[in-house]
Amino acid sequence: MTEDQEFQIMKLVLDKFLWLGFIIMGWGMYQSLSQSSVLAGIWYMVAGAVVLLLFVIIIVKEYEILK
C-alpha cells in the first residue's frame, strides 16, 4: 500500500474516534443540564476527553507530527 492509501484508511478510522469522543462529551453535557446528577454528566465528559486524548496520541504516534 502506498503512504497516501494508508493515510486515507487511517483518516477513516480516526474520524470514528473523533465522533465517538464528541458524542460521549455531548451526552455528558446533556446529563449535566438535565434533571440527572451533575456528577454523572461530568464523568461522561471526562470519558469523552480521554477518548479524544487517545485520538491525539494515536495521530502523533502514527504520523510523527512532532518531528
Side-chain angles (χ1 to χ4, degrees):
M1 245 196 278
T2 67
E3 284 187 29
D4 185 52
Q5 289 172 331
E6 285 182 20
F7 179 73
Q8 295 300 326
I9 291 171
M10 194 59 143
K11 272 192 340 185
L12 292 171
V13 171
L14 293 178
D15 184 50
K16 303 308 181 254
F17 274 105
L18 185 63
W19 275 108
L20 183 64
F22 279 113
I23 288 170
I24 293 170
M25 290 183 80
W27 180 253
M29 182 62 71
Y30 171 76
Q31 291 293 319
S32 291
L33 296 176
S34 70
Q35 68 274 9
S36 286
S37 163
V38 173
L39 187 60
I42 290 174
W43 281 115
Y44 278 109
M45 287 189 275
V46 168
V50 168
V51 170
L52 292 175
L53 184 62
L54 179 64
F55 173 74
V56 169
I57 290 170
I58 290 172
I59 288 176
V60 169
K61 182 179 177 185
E62 191 66 31
Y63 295 108
E64 300 173 11
I65 293 175
L66 297 177
K67 276 189 172 179

